[in-house]
Amino acid sequence: MNDFSRLGLLVPDLEQTLRALKARGYLVHENEQGCLLEVDSRDHLNGAFAALAEQQVAYELADLISCVYQG
């Protein structure tokens, strides 16, 4: 059984968000379904939030997938 969440960021300006993250060295995977930023630690995630705050990027947190069960 696997329980997990996938954190989503809802942003009014995607291009501004991507510029802010990429300027700080974050690798963002982009495709037709959207953009994905993989984080490997709490510090990495906090750094991404700091990069957004630094550039005054507005965002809202959203739980995209919650409590998915695989048996």
Side-chain angles (χ1 to χ4, degrees):
M1 178 171 76
N2 293 319
D3 290 332
F4 68 93
S5 291
R6 179 154 296 195
L7 178 66
L9 293 179
L10 304 175
V11 298
D13 187 340
L14 180 59
E15 293 306 315
Q16 178 191 23
T17 304
L18 294 175
R19 279 193 306 273
L21 291 170
K22 290 176 180 180
R24 288 279 296 266
Y26 286 90
L27 178 61
V28 181
H29 305 281
E30 300 176 61
N31 63 31
E32 64 280 348
Q33 295 176 335
C35 301
L36 175 68
L37 172 66
E38 292 187 35
V39 294
D40 57 10
S41 68
R42 178 176 287 169
D43 288 340
H44 196 220
L45 180 60
N46 287 335
F49 289 146
L52 298 178
E54 209 172 75
Q55 297 299 315
Q56 299 178 341
V57 173
Y59 64 88
E60 181 180 334
L61 298 177
D63 190 4
L64 300 179
I65 302 173
S66 179
C67 299
V68 174
Y69 175 78
Q70 291 178 308

